[in-house]
Amino acid sequence: MKFYSTNNTSTKVSFKEAVFNSMPQDKGLYMPVSIPKLDDKFLNNLDNYTLPEIAFHVAKNLLGDDIPDNDLQAIIHDAINFYAPVVELEENVYVLELFHGPSLAFKDFGARFMSRVMSYFLEEGEKTLDILVATSGDTGGAVALGFLGVPNTRVTILYPKGKVSGIQELQLTTNGQNVRAVEVDGTFDDCQALVKQAFTDPELNKEFRLTSANSINIARLIPQTFYYFNAYAQLLKEGKDEVVFSVPSGNFGNLGAGLLAWKMGLPVEHFIAATNANDTVPGFLKTGVYQPKPSVQTISNAMDVGNPSNWVRIQDMFKDNPEQLISLVSGFSYTDEETLTALEKMHSAYNYIACPHTAIAWQALKDWEQDQSTGRVAGVFLSTAHPCKFPDVLPKHIAREIVIPEQVKNLEGKIKHATTLGKDFEAFKSYLLDNK
């Protein structure tokens, strides 16, 4: 399979080149030249397949012969070695739990798959691969654990100072080995801008072999389609074949993956883009005007993105029929106060403890259902992170009930190691050059 730049469809590269280059020099994003439609026999019998089997079939159709079957199966079995259950909370309301991986966030799907693909493509004696990643919360921890100890790689994680949770920060800053952290005195958008500028800087590209582990990398997007297909497979076993997904959205890689799955034939009735106060996309879906804005800090920090990178991919998928996108996706946004109310409601109604991002997705699903005649449609909202990552955000009486996973307990007492920088690109460039 070849991949093109969203800014220049005549620029076509292999999957390997798309993975290692991450972002084309024209500042577009890579997309597959054609999106394959999966056969009906597979789609109608998804409930007969395991998650690794589904993942292999989807990846094989997207990648073609870029990775031989046996090698691709080995990569998937190593990377996707945890489960993603669909849990029923009430009739036709389900939560898709995506936090059962090592870093307790949905980013484990993309980060682990990508790290193994990069390791597979790296050849002995090649120049060290420098991976730059901006994080608003969970991406950094997933990438850190995904690449920790991978030979011939070095990871630099940029995160906004004071704008990630304590546990998230420990996951970013206590790894050592080939992983280092940079604390940026700014927002996630500032971190993302530094990474993007580094990719197009001639001196840095001459000195380093740069790539990204953010969702701008196509190797992050592809594995995120796996859990949409797998969720549908689980619903088929429950006799449900009509589904709506409510997706908590920040940089919009998660929703982008769902729409890619839909393009491949997954029979999803509708998607809901659920955001916090950073409501650029819900605003567009309501008005037709796309107006990026500076991000604002919220209690659902992993979604504090005012100019989501992956929106260009979504627009590219629907460039021939933008009206279809408007009819397929609804947008909802919520304040911190509304998010806390949703957390309380979920706890009271289901005795279920959710992270703030998950609570937003649940509230968006419930609000969407108010205006619909949903009938047999199963509403699935995505739970993107374990609630233990946000003890200072959750109401105290709810936070006390959280069962702390072992990997979080193991972070206690570890020492933070991070370099603090401003949002000036020259300072970041000097840091990279001085710490080769």
Side-chain angles (χ1 to χ4, degrees), residues 36-49 57-58 229 232-233 236 261-267:
K37 179 76 162 57
L38 302 183
D39 61 274
D40 289 338
K41 182 180 178 182
F42 173 73
L43 293 170
N44 294 336
N45 294 281
L46 275 171
D47 51 328
N48 293 328
Y49 298 97
H57 191 84
V58 173
F229 285 97
Y232 189 80
L236 282 178
W262 180 83
K263 282 280 186 178
M264 295 180 75
L266 187 67

Side-chain angles (χ1 to χ4, degrees), residues 19 52 62 65 84-85 100 105 119 130 134 156 162 167 174 188 191 233 236 255 263 269 332 339 354-355 375 391 403:
V19 170
L62 279 168
D65 298 325
H100 293 283
S119 179
D130 267 286
T156 304
I167 290 172
T174 60
F188 167 75
C191 297
L236 282 178
L255 181 62
K263 282 280 186 178
E269 302 291 320
F332 293 84
T339 304
C355 81
V403 178

Side-chain angles (χ1 to χ4, degrees), residues 86 96 110 135 205 331:
V86 171
L96 172 56
T135 184
N205 278 276

Side-chain angles (χ1 to χ4, degrees), residues 11-178:
T11 301
K12 295 183 175 67
V13 302
S14 67
F15 179 57
K16 178 179 179 180
E17 188 174 343
V19 170
F20 281 146
N21 288 349
S22 188
M23 188 174 77
Q25 287 300 302
D26 61 21
K27 299 184 181 180
L29 294 180
Y30 286 117
M31 283 293 288
V33 167
S34 62
I35 297 176
K37 179 76 162 57
L38 302 183
D39 61 274
D40 289 338
K41 182 180 178 182
F42 173 73
L43 293 170
N44 294 336
N45 294 281
L46 275 171
D47 51 328
N48 293 328
Y49 298 97
T50 65
L51 172 54
E53 288 170 342
I54 290 171
F56 171 74
H57 191 84
V58 173
K60 174 66 178 174
N61 276 270
L62 279 168
L63 302 182
D65 298 325
D66 287 41
I67 300 177
D69 287 3
N70 288 342
D71 294 335
L72 182 58
Q73 285 176 326
I75 287 170
I76 286 170
H77 277 275
D78 184 35
I80 316 299
N81 60 358
F82 48 92
Y83 61 111
V86 171
V87 178
E88 185 175 18
L89 295 182
E90 63 177 280
E91 186 178 4
N92 287 330
V93 174
Y94 299 81
V95 55
L96 172 56
E97 294 184 344
L98 299 173
F99 52 73
H100 293 283
S103 79
L104 306 174
F106 79 104
K107 307 290 180 77
D108 284 321
F109 280 87
R112 288 172 64 81
F113 179 82
M114 179 180 56
S115 67
R116 278 123 181 103
V117 165
M118 287 183 173
S119 179
Y120 172 80
F121 281 137
L122 275 174
E123 296 178 13
E124 192 173 346
E126 284 190 287
K127 193 174 185 179
T128 296
L129 189 65
D130 267 286
I131 300 145
L132 305 182
V133 57
T135 184
S136 56
D138 287 324
T139 294
V143 170
L145 290 177
F147 280 92
L148 188 63
V150 173
N152 214 26
T153 66
R154 177 170 50 197
V155 180
T156 304
I157 301 170
L158 289 76
Y159 70 97
K161 183 178 181 180
K163 294 179 172 66
V164 301
S165 77
I167 290 172
Q168 287 173 325
E169 188 170 37
L170 286 173
Q171 288 184 321
L172 305 176
T173 62
T174 60
N175 297 285
Q177 297 186 54
N178 60 326

Side-chain angles (χ1 to χ4, degrees), residues 102 104 145 166-167 170-171 174-175 388 404-416:
L104 306 174
L145 290 177
I167 290 172
L170 286 173
Q171 288 184 321
T174 60
N175 297 285
C388 73
I404 306 299
E406 281 301 315
Q407 56 260 58
V408 172
K409 292 178 182 177
N410 293 336
L411 290 172
E412 296 173 5
K414 288 192 174 183
I415 299 172
K416 165 187 168 182

Side-chain angles (χ1 to χ4, degrees), residues 274-310:
T275 76
N276 53 29
N278 296 279
D279 60 352
T280 298
V281 170
F284 165 76
L285 293 169
K286 288 181 175 69
T287 67
V289 178
Y290 189 76
Q291 188 62 53
K293 61 184 82 171
S295 61
V296 297
Q297 186 174 357
T298 74
I299 61 172
S300 50
N301 64 292
M303 303 190 325
D304 291 350
V305 185
N307 187 14
S309 293
N310 281 289

